[in-house]
Amino acid sequence: MNSTAMRTHMCGELRDAHIGSTVSLCGWVARRREHGEKLAFVDLRDHSGIVQCVVDNDVDVRSEYVIRVTGVVRARPEGTVNANLPTGTVEIGDCQVEVLNIAEPPPFPVDQRADEVDEGIRLRYRYLDIRRERMQKNLRVRALVNSAIRREMESNGFLEVETPLLMPSTPEGAREFLVPSRKEPGSFFALPQSPQLWKQLLMVSGIDRYYQIAKCLRDEDLRADRQYEFMQLDAEMSFVSQDDVLENIGRAVVAAAKAVTGEEPPTIQRITWLEAMNRFGVDKPDMRFGMELVELTHVFSGTEFKAFAGAESIKGIRVDAKVYPDAAASGRNKLDALTDRAKKVGAKGLVWIKVGPDGTVESPIAKFLSEDEIRSLVTAMEAQSGDLVLIVADNWDTTCEVLGTLRNDIGRPPVHEGPYAYVWVTEFPLFVGVDPVSGTPRPGHHPFCHPHPDDISLFDTDPLKVRALAYDLVLNGWELGSGSIRIHEPELQRRVFNLLGISDEEADKRFGFFLQPFRYGAPPHGGFAFGIDRLTAILAGEENIREVIAFPKTQSGADPMTSAPTPVENSHLAELGLRLLPPPATS
Ligand code: ASP
């Protein structure tokens, strides 16, 4: 399958079964070593692997030269077998070498040693970096993920539809990239944060089941799991309940995972947002480890200890004795660091209690607690001698956030380390918090999520309590994606916009193109989108999505290879009706 006019085999596929065959191979010189006076070894590399070729010493090839070798596969002499190489029992002898292209010495070794090289250099020479086994593998894992998803979606009746990249600005929450219009100076297209509006319109159009592996763009600070542009499996379905969506998306995720690992992934668990917050303190829980938050408010309901008395919420986490064996004695720095961290996240303070033998405890607050309280606390936390208990008393949001952060800081394994723990988090709140300026609630996700039918009565009285039919998929503590059942009733959509402080006139002006179609018979519908980069990174055993993207941006949002973003000529700006402001003063 891989043979061409120039080669018969791939380097990495040769085994004992090929001994005696004459083969032609093409690739790059990975290494050349002298072998006595007359001969040299050339390790020849293509994407499939490396094979050793024995060539005449006078053949002038250097690292990364592109060559074609024709020779006979033979067994390596006894004692020279390389068990670390899949082709390590054979070599190519009687070689004819044709130099197809010479190469300058590469800026870094094109093998695993490049992992030690500064990432900026790797990205500057990304085309060489991708020649390496790690990147070759990662891009192939990515392609496996894409093809498995496509196959699965299509076998479930989803139709691939492409949607525009140039579109109006939309209210989906992220900062958009804008593209100035040449024909209408002063007007802009936005690049899609996601195909959200298009896919909902396709439901109005009767497409029924849509999917797309779509490029999405968001102008947000970059991190290990975030790039300006990223790929999502984007899907939408008509006449469905939440379960239909979860089932179909779940199938695509399972198919992708199986295609990469060859194994059936574990069942995707399911918890509500409220349960996730109460047990893990975060809405993207990493369920690979315990250390769950424990409710302690009842333990201290009658306490004399001022910092606990009357607190809306008191919660604790138990840190196993093995984690900080000497936390209370020599480990004060550790406890101070944990307290600082807790304060940075928003706590007024952090209480620590080190459990000793026979129900004794050591803690700066031990003297303020009754024996009963200490006993109930140790029981509630299921604490053993040597364990450390960390407690926060505050409002519910803060106790969750602080202890959720500490739990992750202390216990969370790197994201790409097994086992895999997939979980659906359902019933997200429709609104989160209130805008400090306008006083209106802020949307939890985007404003098209359907409120939970049981909560519509709370709309006018207690909007922050309204749950949405909105759900996320989380893998090992990374949010893979989100989705929801959408509002298909124009009147309800208006009510949500109004609650968000968007008047009917403004809604019509900004999203009329989206709202009007809903008057022409919008079916009930819902959908989901998940990040291909994130799923691929975890399946490929990588901690950073840059490792599974051919040409990513650096953390600071630049491309060291092309130097983008770059200034443009004033004439180009003028054509777009733009003039630059002086750069902002740096302090
Ligand atoms: N468009 C949403 C997002 O990109 C996903 C969805 O609701 O389908 O987060």
Side-chain angles (χ1 to χ4, degrees):
M1 192 172 71
N2 286 311
S3 67
T4 66
M6 298 184 79
R7 70 179 175 214
T8 58
H9 291 80
M10 302 300 291
C11 299
E13 73 177 286
L14 299 175
R15 298 287 183 275
D16 287 349
H18 296 95
I19 289 173
S21 319
T22 298
V23 296
S24 291
L25 307 169
C26 293
W28 287 264
V29 174
R31 207 149 74 103
R32 181 188 195 282
R33 312 180 304 283
E34 303 302 319
H35 179 51
E37 276 177 22
K38 295 223 176 87
L39 296 175
F41 288 129
V42 166
D43 287 342
L44 185 64
R45 175 196 343 104
D46 62 23
H47 77 74
S48 68
I50 284 180
V51 69
Q52 175 169 291
C53 306
V54 186
V55 306
D56 281 346
N57 207 358
D58 54 7
V59 170
D60 181 19
V61 293
R62 302 182 202 170
S63 278
E64 303 310 318
Y65 273 32
V66 187
I67 63 173
R68 176 170 185 249
V69 173
T70 301
V72 179
V73 183
R74 65 189 190 198
R76 288 201 192 190
E78 234 182 274
T80 63
V81 165
N82 180 351
N84 296 325
L85 207 60
T87 61
T89 57
V90 298
E91 62 185 14
I92 316 297
D94 303 329
C95 290
Q96 306 280 333
V97 177
E98 187 185 339
V99 174
L100 303 175
N101 215 341
I102 59 168
E104 289 180 19
F108 51 78
V110 182
D111 56 32
Q112 77 284 2
R113 283 172 292 170
D115 289 339
E116 312 302 319
V117 174
D118 176 66
E119 198 195 6
I121 309 273
R122 283 178 56 205
L123 292 181
R124 173 142 173 235
Y125 298 94
R126 188 61 153 183
Y127 45 88
L128 291 180
D129 194 34
I130 294 177
R131 260 186 217 164
R132 302 190 304 128
E133 192 187 340
R134 174 182 180 186
M135 291 304 300
Q136 288 282 332
K137 182 196 115 222
N138 287 352
L139 293 185
R140 281 161 213 282
V141 166
R142 188 180 180 104
L144 275 181
V145 167
N146 279 336
S147 62
I149 288 174
R150 275 184 210 285
R151 261 197 315 277
E152 188 61 35
M153 295 305 280
E154 278 167 20
S155 72
N156 288 303
F158 286 80
L159 184 76
E160 184 173 7
V161 183
E162 286 146 31
T163 53
L165 278 183
L166 296 176
M167 56 186 287
S169 180
T170 62
E172 281 185 78
R175 189 183 296 120
E176 294 166 321
F177 282 99
L178 295 178
V179 180
S181 158
R182 177 175 57 86
K183 297 255 187 203
E184 281 185 47
S187 291
F188 295 81
F189 292 107
L191 298 177
Q193 330 182 14
S194 84
Q196 184 66 35
L197 304 188
W198 305 114
K199 66 176 172 176
Q200 289 195 240
L201 294 184
L202 288 171
M203 295 303 103
V204 178
S205 312
I207 287 294
D208 196 70
R209 289 186 174 203
Y210 141 95
Y211 90 98
Q212 182 181 193
I213 294 188
K215 185 144 270 191
C216 305
L217 297 111
R218 297 182 189 174
D219 188 0
E220 293 181 329
D221 289 343
L222 308 192
R223 303 186 306 220
D225 62 353
R226 210 191 257 166
Q227 283 275 305
Y228 287 148
E229 36 186 316
F230 56 96
M231 300 303 282
Q232 285 195 333
L233 165 73
D234 191 50
E236 198 73 13
M237 307 168 74
S238 287
F239 307 111
V240 286
S241 70
Q242 172 176 295
D243 282 352
D244 294 309
V245 179
L246 302 195
E247 208 171 283
N248 279 276
I249 298 297
R251 277 196 211 122
V253 173
V254 166
K258 226 164 133 180
V260 177
T261 64
E263 285 165 20
E264 191 76 34
T267 316
I268 307 182
Q269 302 178 59
R270 207 193 271 202
I271 61 176
T272 65
W273 173 85
L274 190 63
E275 187 185 348
M277 297 303 289
N278 276 326
R279 287 175 55 195
F280 304 99
V282 291
D283 58 10
K284 32 178 187 280
D286 188 333
M287 305 191 43
R288 289 173 298 170
F289 66 104
M291 268 179 75
E292 293 190 18
L293 279 55
V294 177
E295 184 58 53
L296 297 172
T297 317
H298 59 284
V299 171
F300 299 106
S301 55
T303 191
E304 309 266 294
F305 178 47
K306 283 218 184 64
F308 284 1
E312 175 187 301
S313 164
I314 305 176
K315 289 188 199 299
I317 53 173
R318 183 180 62 79
V319 187
D320 192 272
K322 284 191 236 82
V323 181
Y324 303 132
D326 48 6
S330 58
R332 280 290 153 85
N333 287 343
K334 191 76 238 169
L335 295 168
D336 290 345
L338 289 172
T339 306
D340 286 349
R341 176 79 169 131
K343 286 186 178 158
K344 258 202 199 98
V345 184
K348 290 194 263 312
L350 177 72
V351 166
W352 62 262
I353 294 178
K354 180 89 182 176
V355 179
D358 309 324
T360 58
V361 296
E362 182 185 345
S363 165
I365 68 146
K367 55 179 177 292
F368 303 112
L369 303 181
S370 70
E371 270 178 25
D372 255 8
E373 283 170 341
I374 291 177
R375 209 172 312 114
S376 311
L377 167 74
V378 172
T379 310
M381 296 303 306
E382 296 177 11
Q384 306 289 325
S385 176
D387 291 352
L388 177 70
V389 175
L390 302 174
I391 304 176
V392 175
D394 214 304
N395 56 49
W396 181 82
D397 291 323
T398 307
T399 55
C400 291
E401 192 176 350
V402 174
L403 288 176
T405 304
L406 292 183
R407 173 182 178 269
N408 276 342
D409 284 1
I410 297 168
R412 184 157 177 242
V415 68
H416 59 302
E417 276 181 12
Y420 300 113
Y422 295 88
V423 56
W424 293 112
V425 181
T426 61
E427 296 184 13
F428 269 75
L430 189 63
F431 304 110
V432 283
V434 171
D435 186 282
V437 181
S438 62
T440 52
R442 287 189 297 227
H445 192 30
H446 49 59
F448 315 117
C449 299
H450 205 289
H452 196 295
D454 295 349
D455 295 352
I456 297 211
S457 57
L458 298 171
F459 241 69
D460 299 320
T461 51
D462 202 353
L464 296 183
K465 285 251 158 64
V466 177
R467 292 166 297 167
L469 294 177
Y471 33 82
D472 275 6
L473 178 60
V474 176
L475 170 56
N476 293 1
W478 266 8
E479 179 196 317
L480 284 189
S482 321
S484 57
I485 297 297
R486 326 294 184 185
I487 299 173
H488 65 280
E489 310 92 324
E491 200 33 54
L492 185 57
Q493 185 68 71
R494 275 188 197 286
R495 274 183 79 189
V496 171
F497 275 140
N498 291 167
L499 258 169
L500 294 171
I502 303 173
S503 67
D504 290 356
E505 298 71 47
E506 195 186 344
D508 278 337
K509 197 162 132 229
R510 284 172 63 191
F511 326 115
F513 76 97
F514 179 68
L515 299 177
Q516 196 197 14
F518 278 67
R519 303 208 300 255
Y520 293 102
H525 60 286
F528 198 81
F530 71 77
I532 304 265
D533 310 273
R534 291 181 184 176
L535 178 61
T536 305
I538 296 176
L539 293 175
E542 294 287 0
E543 240 181 316
N544 193 312
I545 62 171
R546 293 197 289 276
E547 301 296 352
V548 297
I549 297 175
F551 299 107
K553 305 285 182 286
T554 58
Q555 183 105 2
S556 58
D559 174 5
M561 190 173 80
T562 62
S563 302
T566 47
V568 297
E569 297 293 331
N570 280 336
S571 55
H572 194 167
L573 290 176
E575 205 178 23
L576 298 166
L578 298 176
R579 189 166 350 113
L580 293 182
L581 292 171
T586 47
S587 52

